[in-house]
Coordinates of all heavy atoms in Angstrom, one line a residue:
M20 N 37.2 34.2 6.2 CA 38.6 33.7 6.4 C 38.7 32.2 6.2 O 38.1 31.4 6.9 CB 39.1 34.0 7.8 CG 40.6 33.8 8.0 SD 41.7 34.7 7.0 CE 43.3 34.1 7.6
N21 N 39.3 31.8 5.1 CA 39.4 30.4 4.8 C 40.8 30.0 4.2 O 41.1 30.4 3.1 CB 38.3 30.0 3.7 CG 38.2 28.5 3.6 OD1 39.1 27.8 4.0 ND2 37.1 28.1 3.0
D22 N 41.5 29.3 5.0 CA 42.9 29.0 4.6 C 43.1 27.6 4.1 O 44.1 27.0 4.1 CB 43.9 29.3 5.8 CG 43.6 28.5 7.0 OD1 42.6 27.8 7.0 OD2 44.4 28.6 7.9
T23 N 41.9 27.0 3.7 CA 42.0 25.6 3.2 C 42.8 25.7 1.9 O 42.6 26.5 1.0 CB 40.6 25.1 2.9 OG1 39.8 25.2 4.1 CG2 40.6 23.7 2.3
V24 N 43.7 24.7 1.8 CA 44.5 24.6 0.6 C 43.7 24.3 -0.6 O 42.8 23.4 -0.6 CB 45.6 23.5 0.7 CG1 46.4 23.3 -0.6 CG2 46.5 23.8 1.9
A25 N 43.8 25.1 -1.7 CA 43.0 25.0 -2.9 C 42.9 23.6 -3.5 O 44.0 23.0 -3.7 CB 43.4 26.0 -3.9
N26 N 41.7 23.1 -3.7 CA 41.5 21.9 -4.4 C 41.9 20.6 -3.6 O 41.6 19.5 -4.1 CB 42.2 21.8 -5.8 CG 41.7 23.0 -6.7 OD1 40.5 23.3 -6.6 ND2 42.6 23.5 -7.4
S27 N 42.6 20.7 -2.5 CA 43.0 19.5 -1.8 C 42.1 19.2 -0.7 O 42.0 18.0 -0.2 CB 44.4 19.7 -1.3 OG 44.4 20.6 -0.2
G28 N 41.3 20.2 -0.1 CA 40.4 19.9 1.0 C 41.2 19.8 2.3 O 40.5 19.6 3.3
V29 N 42.5 20.0 2.3 CA 43.2 19.9 3.5 C 43.5 21.3 4.1 O 43.9 22.2 3.4 CB 44.6 19.2 3.3 CG1 45.4 19.2 4.6 CG2 44.4 17.8 2.8
C30 N 43.1 21.4 5.4 CA 43.3 22.7 6.0 C 44.8 22.9 6.4 O 45.3 22.0 7.1 CB 42.4 22.8 7.3 SG 42.8 24.2 8.3
A31 N 45.4 23.9 5.9 CA 46.9 24.1 6.1 C 47.2 24.2 7.6 O 48.2 23.7 8.1 CB 47.3 25.3 5.4
E32 N 46.3 25.0 8.3 CA 46.6 25.2 9.7 C 46.4 23.9 10.5 O 47.2 23.6 11.4 CB 45.6 26.2 10.3 CG 45.8 26.5 11.8 CD 47.1 27.2 12.2 OE1 47.9 27.5 11.3 OE2 47.3 27.4 13.4
K33 N 45.4 23.1 10.2 CA 45.2 21.8 10.8 C 46.5 20.9 10.6 O 46.9 20.2 11.5 CB 44.0 21.1 10.3 CG 43.6 19.8 11.0 CD 42.4 19.2 10.4 CE 42.1 17.9 11.1 NZ 40.9 17.2 10.5
L34 N 46.9 20.9 9.3 CA 48.1 20.1 9.0 C 49.3 20.5 9.8 O 50.0 19.6 10.3 CB 48.4 20.3 7.5 CG 49.2 19.2 6.8 CD1 48.4 17.9 6.8 CD2 49.5 19.6 5.3
R35 N 49.5 21.8 10.0 CA 50.6 22.3 10.8 C 50.4 21.9 12.3 O 51.4 21.4 12.9 CB 50.6 23.9 10.7 CG 51.8 24.5 11.3 CD 51.7 26.0 11.4 NE 50.7 26.5 12.3 CZ 50.9 26.5 13.6 NH1 52.0 26.1 14.1 NH2 49.9 26.9 14.4
L36 N 49.2 21.9 12.8 CA 49.0 21.6 14.2 C 49.2 20.1 14.4 O 49.7 19.6 15.4 CB 47.6 22.0 14.6 CG 47.4 23.5 14.7 CD1 45.9 23.9 14.8 CD2 48.1 24.0 15.9
V37 N 48.7 19.3 13.4 CA 48.9 17.8 13.5 C 50.4 17.4 13.5 O 50.8 16.6 14.3 CB 48.1 17.1 12.3 CG1 48.6 15.6 12.3 CG2 46.6 17.2 12.5
T38 N 51.1 18.1 12.6 CA 52.5 17.8 12.5 C 53.3 18.2 13.8 O 54.1 17.5 14.3 CB 53.1 18.6 11.4 OG1 52.4 18.3 10.2 CG2 54.6 18.3 11.2
A39 N 52.9 19.4 14.4 CA 53.5 19.8 15.7 C 53.1 18.9 16.8 O 54.0 18.5 17.6 CB 53.0 21.2 16.0
Y40 N 51.9 18.4 16.8 CA 51.4 17.5 17.9 C 52.2 16.2 17.8 O 52.6 15.6 18.8 CB 49.9 17.2 17.7 CG 49.4 16.2 18.6 CD1 49.7 16.2 20.0 CD2 48.6 15.1 18.2 CE1 49.2 15.2 20.9 CE2 48.1 14.1 19.0 CZ 48.4 14.2 20.3 OH 48.0 13.2 21.2
E41 N 52.4 15.7 16.5 CA 53.1 14.4 16.4 C 54.6 14.5 16.8 O 55.1 13.7 17.5 CB 53.0 14.0 14.9 CG 51.7 13.3 14.6 CD 51.5 13.0 13.1 OE1 52.4 13.3 12.3 OE2 50.5 12.4 12.7
A42 N 55.1 15.7 16.5 CA 56.5 15.9 16.9 C 56.7 16.0 18.4 O 57.6 15.4 19.0 CB 57.0 17.2 16.2
D43 N 55.7 16.7 19.0 CA 55.8 16.8 20.5 C 55.5 15.5 21.2 O 56.1 15.2 22.2 CB 54.7 17.9 20.9 CG 55.2 19.3 20.6 OD1 56.4 19.5 20.3 OD2 54.3 20.2 20.5
T44 N 54.6 14.7 20.6 CA 54.3 13.4 21.2 C 55.5 12.5 21.0 O 55.9 11.7 22.0 CB 53.1 12.7 20.4 OG1 52.0 13.6 20.5 CG2 52.7 11.4 21.0
N45 N 56.2 12.5 19.9 CA 57.4 11.7 19.7 C 58.5 12.2 20.7 O 59.3 11.3 21.2 CB 57.9 11.9 18.3 CG 57.1 11.1 17.3 OD1 56.4 10.2 17.7 ND2 57.1 11.5 16.0
A46 N 58.6 13.5 20.9 CA 59.6 14.0 21.8 C 59.3 13.6 23.3 O 60.2 13.2 24.0 CB 59.6 15.6 21.8
F47 N 58.0 13.5 23.6 CA 57.6 13.0 24.9 C 58.0 11.6 25.1 O 58.6 11.1 26.1 CB 56.1 13.3 25.1 CG 55.5 12.6 26.3 CD1 56.1 12.8 27.6 CD2 54.4 11.8 26.2 CE1 55.6 12.2 28.7 CE2 53.9 11.2 27.4 CZ 54.4 11.4 28.6
A48 N 57.7 10.7 24.1 CA 58.0 9.3 24.1 C 59.5 9.1 24.2 O 59.9 8.2 25.0 CB 57.5 8.6 22.8
A49 N 60.3 9.9 23.5 CA 61.7 9.8 23.6 C 62.2 10.1 25.0 O 63.2 9.5 25.5 CB 62.4 10.7 22.5
A50 N 61.6 11.1 25.6 CA 62.0 11.6 26.9 C 61.7 10.5 28.0 O 62.5 10.2 28.9 CB 61.3 12.9 27.3
V51 N 60.6 9.8 27.8 CA 60.2 8.7 28.7 C 61.2 7.6 28.5 O 61.6 7.0 29.5 CB 58.7 8.3 28.4 CG1 58.4 7.0 29.2 CG2 57.7 9.4 28.8
T52 N 61.5 7.2 27.3 CA 62.4 6.1 27.0 C 63.8 6.4 27.6 O 64.4 5.6 28.3 CB 62.6 5.9 25.5 OG1 61.3 5.6 24.9 CG2 63.5 4.8 25.2
N53 N 64.2 7.6 27.5 CA 65.5 8.1 28.0 C 65.5 8.0 29.5 O 66.5 7.5 30.1 CB 65.8 9.5 27.6 CG 67.2 10.0 27.9 OD1 68.1 9.2 27.9 ND2 67.3 11.2 28.2
L54 N 64.4 8.4 30.2 CA 64.3 8.3 31.6 C 64.4 6.9 32.1 O 65.1 6.6 33.0 CB 62.9 8.9 32.0 CG 62.6 8.9 33.5 CD1 63.5 9.8 34.3 CD2 61.2 9.2 33.8
H55 N 63.7 6.0 31.4 CA 63.7 4.6 31.8 C 65.0 3.9 31.7 O 65.4 3.1 32.4 CB 62.6 3.8 31.0 CG 61.2 4.1 31.5 ND1 60.1 3.7 30.8 CD2 60.8 4.9 32.5 CE1 59.0 4.1 31.5 NE2 59.4 4.8 32.5
E56 N 65.7 4.4 30.6 CA 67.1 3.9 30.4 C 68.1 4.3 31.5 O 69.0 3.6 31.8 CB 67.6 4.3 29.0 CG 67.0 3.5 27.9 CD 67.3 4.2 26.5 OE1 68.0 5.2 26.5 OE2 66.9 3.6 25.5
Q57 N 67.8 5.5 32.1 CA 68.7 6.0 33.0 C 68.4 5.6 34.5 O 69.2 5.8 35.4 CB 68.7 7.6 33.0 CG 68.9 8.2 31.6 CD 70.4 7.9 31.2 OE1 71.3 8.0 32.0 NE2 70.5 7.6 29.9
I58 N 67.2 5.0 34.7 CA 66.9 4.6 36.0 C 67.9 3.6 36.6 O 68.2 2.6 35.9 CB 65.4 3.9 36.1 CG1 64.4 5.1 35.9 CG2 65.2 3.1 37.4 CD1 63.0 4.6 35.8
G59 N 68.4 3.8 37.7 CA 69.3 2.9 38.4 C 70.8 3.2 38.1 O 71.7 2.8 38.7
T60 N 71.0 4.0 37.0 CA 72.4 4.3 36.6 C 72.7 5.8 36.8 O 73.9 6.2 36.9 CB 72.7 4.0 35.1 OG1 71.8 4.8 34.3 CG2 72.5 2.5 34.9
S61 N 71.7 6.7 37.0 CA 71.9 8.1 37.1 C 71.8 8.5 38.6 O 71.2 7.8 39.4 CB 70.9 8.9 36.3 OG 69.6 8.6 36.7
S62 N 72.5 9.6 38.8 CA 72.4 10.2 40.2 C 71.0 10.8 40.4 O 70.2 10.9 39.5 CB 73.4 11.3 40.3 OG 73.1 12.4 39.5
K63 N 70.7 11.1 41.7 CA 69.4 11.7 42.0 C 69.2 13.0 41.3 O 68.1 13.2 40.8 CB 69.3 11.9 43.5 CG 68.4 10.9 44.2 CD 68.1 11.3 45.6 CE 67.2 10.3 46.3 NZ 67.5 10.1 47.7
G64 N 70.2 13.8 41.2 CA 70.1 15.1 40.5 C 69.8 14.9 39.0 O 69.0 15.6 38.4
D65 N 70.5 13.9 38.4 CA 70.3 13.6 36.9 C 68.9 13.1 36.7 O 68.2 13.5 35.8 CB 71.3 12.6 36.4 CG 72.7 13.2 36.2 OD1 72.8 14.5 36.2 OD2 73.7 12.4 36.1
Y66 N 68.5 12.2 37.6 CA 67.2 11.6 37.5 C 66.1 12.7 37.6 O 65.1 12.7 36.9 CB 67.0 10.6 38.6 CG 65.6 9.9 38.5 CD1 65.3 8.9 37.5 CD2 64.6 10.2 39.5 CE1 64.1 8.3 37.5 CE2 63.4 9.6 39.4 CZ 63.1 8.7 38.4 OH 61.9 8.1 38.4
F67 N 66.3 13.6 38.5 CA 65.3 14.7 38.7 C 65.2 15.6 37.5 O 64.1 15.9 37.1 CB 65.8 15.6 39.9 CG 64.8 16.7 40.2 CD1 63.6 16.5 40.8 CD2 65.2 18.0 39.9 CE1 62.7 17.5 41.1 CE2 64.3 19.0 40.2 CZ 63.1 18.8 40.8
R68 N 66.4 15.8 36.9 CA 66.4 16.7 35.6 C 65.7 15.9 34.5 O 65.0 16.5 33.7 CB 67.8 17.0 35.2 CG 68.3 18.3 35.9 CD 69.7 18.7 35.3 NE 70.7 17.8 35.6 CZ 71.4 17.9 36.8 NH1 71.1 18.8 37.7 NH2 72.4 17.0 37.1
L69 N 65.9 14.6 34.4 CA 65.3 13.8 33.4 C 63.7 13.8 33.6 O 63.0 13.9 32.6 CB 65.8 12.4 33.4 CG 67.2 12.2 32.8 CD1 67.7 10.8 33.1 CD2 67.2 12.5 31.3
R70 N 63.3 13.7 34.9 CA 61.9 13.7 35.2 C 61.3 15.0 34.8 O 60.2 15.1 34.2 CB 61.7 13.5 36.7 CG 61.7 12.1 37.1 CD 60.5 11.3 36.6 NE 59.3 11.9 37.0 CZ 58.6 11.7 38.1 NH1 59.0 10.8 39.0 NH2 57.5 12.3 38.4
Q71 N 62.0 16.1 35.0 CA 61.5 17.5 34.6 C 61.4 17.6 33.1 O 60.4 18.1 32.6 CB 62.5 18.5 35.1 CG 62.2 19.1 36.5 CD 63.0 20.3 36.8 OE1 64.2 20.4 36.4 NE2 62.5 21.2 37.5
R72 N 62.3 17.0 32.4 CA 62.3 17.0 30.9 C 61.0 16.3 30.4 O 60.4 16.7 29.5 CB 63.6 16.4 30.3 CG 64.0 17.1 29.0 CD 65.3 16.6 28.6 NE 66.4 17.0 29.5 CZ 67.6 16.5 29.5 NH1 67.9 15.6 28.6 NH2 68.5 16.9 30.3
V73 N 60.8 15.1 31.1 CA 59.6 14.3 30.7 C 58.3 15.1 30.9 O 57.4 15.2 30.1 CB 59.5 13.0 31.5 CG1 58.2 12.3 31.3 CG2 60.7 12.1 31.0
D74 N 58.3 15.8 32.1 CA 57.1 16.6 32.5 C 56.9 17.7 31.5 O 55.8 18.0 31.0 CB 57.2 17.2 33.9 CG 56.9 16.1 34.9 OD1 56.3 15.1 34.6 OD2 57.2 16.4 36.1
E75 N 58.0 18.4 31.1 CA 57.9 19.5 30.2 C 57.4 19.0 28.8 O 56.6 19.7 28.2 CB 59.2 20.2 30.1 CG 59.6 21.1 31.2 CD 61.0 21.5 31.3 OE1 61.8 21.3 30.3 OE2 61.4 22.0 32.4
A76 N 57.9 17.9 28.4 CA 57.6 17.3 27.1 C 56.1 16.9 27.1 O 55.4 17.1 26.1 CB 58.5 16.1 26.7
R77 N 55.6 16.4 28.2 CA 54.2 15.9 28.4 C 53.3 17.1 28.3 O 52.3 17.1 27.5 CB 54.0 15.2 29.7 CG 52.6 14.7 29.9 CD 52.5 13.9 31.2 NE 53.0 14.7 32.3 CZ 52.4 15.7 32.9 NH1 51.2 16.1 32.5 NH2 52.9 16.3 34.0
I78 N 53.7 18.2 29.0 CA 52.8 19.4 29.0 C 52.8 20.0 27.6 O 51.7 20.4 27.1 CB 53.4 20.4 30.0 CG1 53.1 19.9 31.4 CG2 52.8 21.8 29.8 CD1 53.9 20.6 32.5
K79 N 53.9 20.0 26.9 CA 54.0 20.6 25.6 C 53.1 19.8 24.6 O 52.4 20.4 23.8 CB 55.5 20.5 25.1 CG 55.7 21.6 24.0 CD 57.2 21.6 23.7 CE 57.4 22.5 22.4 NZ 58.4 22.0 21.6
S80 N 53.1 18.5 24.7 CA 52.3 17.7 23.8 C 50.8 17.8 24.1 O 50.0 17.8 23.2 CB 52.7 16.2 23.9 OG 52.3 15.6 25.1
E81 N 50.5 18.0 25.4 CA 49.1 18.2 25.8 C 48.6 19.6 25.2 O 47.5 19.7 24.7 CB 49.0 18.3 27.3 CG 48.9 16.8 27.9 CD 48.9 16.8 29.4 OE1 48.8 17.9 30.0 OE2 49.0 15.7 29.9
H82 N 49.5 20.6 25.3 CA 49.1 21.9 24.7 C 48.9 21.8 23.2 O 48.0 22.4 22.6 CB 50.2 22.9 25.0 CG 50.1 23.4 26.4 ND1 51.1 24.3 26.9 CD2 49.3 23.2 27.4 CE1 50.8 24.5 28.2 NE2 49.7 23.9 28.5
S83 N 49.8 21.0 22.5 CA 49.6 20.8 21.1 C 48.3 20.1 20.7 O 47.6 20.5 19.8 CB 50.8 20.0 20.5 OG 52.0 20.7 20.8
R84 N 48.0 19.1 21.6 CA 46.7 18.4 21.3 C 45.5 19.3 21.5 O 44.6 19.3 20.7 CB 46.6 17.2 22.3 CG 45.4 16.4 22.1 CD 45.3 15.2 23.0 NE 45.5 15.5 24.4 CZ 44.5 15.9 25.1 NH1 43.3 16.1 24.6 NH2 44.6 16.2 26.4
L85 N 45.6 20.2 22.6 CA 44.5 21.1 22.8 C 44.3 22.1 21.7 O 43.2 22.5 21.3 CB 44.7 21.8 24.2 CG 44.4 21.0 25.4 CD1 44.8 21.7 26.7 CD2 42.9 20.6 25.5
A86 N 45.5 22.6 21.2 CA 45.5 23.6 20.1 C 44.8 23.0 18.9 O 44.0 23.6 18.2 CB 46.9 24.0 19.8
L87 N 45.2 21.7 18.6 CA 44.6 21.0 17.5 C 43.1 20.8 17.7 O 42.3 21.1 16.7 CB 45.3 19.6 17.3 CG 44.7 18.7 16.3 CD1 44.8 19.3 14.9 CD2 45.4 17.4 16.3
E88 N 42.7 20.4 18.9 CA 41.2 20.2 19.2 C 40.4 21.5 19.0 O 39.4 21.5 18.5 CB 41.0 19.6 20.6 CG 41.4 18.1 20.6 CD 41.2 17.6 22.0 OE1 40.9 18.3 23.0 OE2 41.5 16.4 22.2
R89 N 41.0 22.6 19.6 CA 40.4 23.9 19.5 C 40.2 24.3 18.1 O 39.2 24.9 17.7 CB 41.2 24.9 20.3 CG 40.8 25.0 21.8 CD 41.2 26.4 22.4 NE 42.7 26.5 22.3 CZ 43.5 26.1 23.3 NH1 43.0 25.5 24.4 NH2 44.8 26.2 23.2
H90 N 41.3 24.1 17.3 CA 41.2 24.5 15.9 C 40.1 23.8 15.1 O 39.3 24.3 14.4 CB 42.5 24.3 15.2 CG 42.5 24.6 13.7 ND1 42.6 25.9 13.2 CD2 42.3 23.8 12.7 CE1 42.4 25.8 11.9 NE2 42.2 24.6 11.5
V91 N 40.1 22.4 15.3 CA 39.1 21.6 14.6 C 37.7 22.0 15.0 O 36.8 22.1 14.2 CB 39.4 20.1 14.9 CG1 38.2 19.2 14.4 CG2 40.7 19.6 14.3
E92 N 37.5 22.3 16.3 CA 36.2 22.7 16.8 C 35.7 24.0 16.2 O 34.6 24.2 15.8 CB 36.3 22.8 18.4 CG 34.9 22.7 19.1 CD 35.1 22.6 20.6 OE1 35.8 21.6 21.0 OE2 34.7 23.5 21.3
S93 N 36.6 25.0 16.2 CA 36.2 26.3 15.8 C 36.2 26.4 14.2 O 35.4 27.2 13.7 CB 37.2 27.4 16.3 OG 38.5 27.2 15.8
H94 N 37.0 25.6 13.6 CA 37.2 25.7 12.1 C 36.3 24.7 11.4 O 36.1 24.8 10.2 CB 38.6 25.5 11.8 CG 39.1 26.1 10.5 ND1 40.0 25.5 9.7 CD2 38.7 27.2 9.9 CE1 40.1 26.3 8.6 NE2 39.4 27.3 8.7
Q95 N 35.8 23.7 12.2 CA 35.0 22.6 11.6 C 35.7 21.9 10.4 O 35.1 21.7 9.4 CB 33.6 23.2 11.2 CG 32.8 23.8 12.3 CD 32.3 22.8 13.3 OE1 31.8 21.7 13.0 NE2 32.5 23.0 14.6
C96 N 37.0 21.7 10.6 CA 37.7 21.1 9.5 C 38.2 19.7 9.9 O 37.9 19.2 11.0 CB 38.9 21.9 9.2 SG 40.1 22.1 10.5
Ligands
LIG104 ZN1 41.2 24.2 9.9

């Protein structure tokens, strides 16, 4: 099983995982920025929801990073 893109040497699955990881990392950074912008101006409930969003984005980006690491390790790409 080899899904390496012909003649380019780039693994298609790795490329997909890197793109997903970058998107999730950017989403996490945006959530953190949003949270910091809202500090002092939002209600406790709003702040709590923003914190939850940051946590969810952080977990998602960590999963994406692990998926990428696991792929690179098993695929040696
Ligand atoms: Zn690969």
Side-chain angles (χ1 to χ4, degrees):
M20 187 64 179
N21 190 344
D22 59 355
T23 302
V24 177
N26 300 324
S27 72
V29 177
C30 171
E32 179 65 4
K33 184 183 182 182
L34 202 63
R35 189 186 69 76
L36 290 167
V37 167
T38 304
Y40 172 53
E41 283 175 354
D43 289 341
T44 302
N45 287 338
F47 171 51
V51 170
T52 301
N53 189 34
L54 176 69
H55 287 171
E56 283 170 357
Q57 303 296 320
I58 286 176
T60 61
S61 59
S62 69
K63 255 192 179 146
D65 285 344
Y66 181 74
F67 182 74
R68 272 189 291 277
L69 287 169
R70 278 290 305 268
Q71 269 191 324
R72 214 171 294 166
V73 168
D74 281 345
E75 283 165 13
R77 179 177 53 76
I78 289 163
K79 205 173 170 216
S80 71
E81 279 173 6
H82 283 174
S83 297
R84 182 176 56 79
L85 285 173
L87 174 61
E88 283 178 1
R89 270 199 299 269
H90 175 82
V91 170
E92 202 171 297
S93 67
H94 206 214
Q95 300 292 312
C96 63

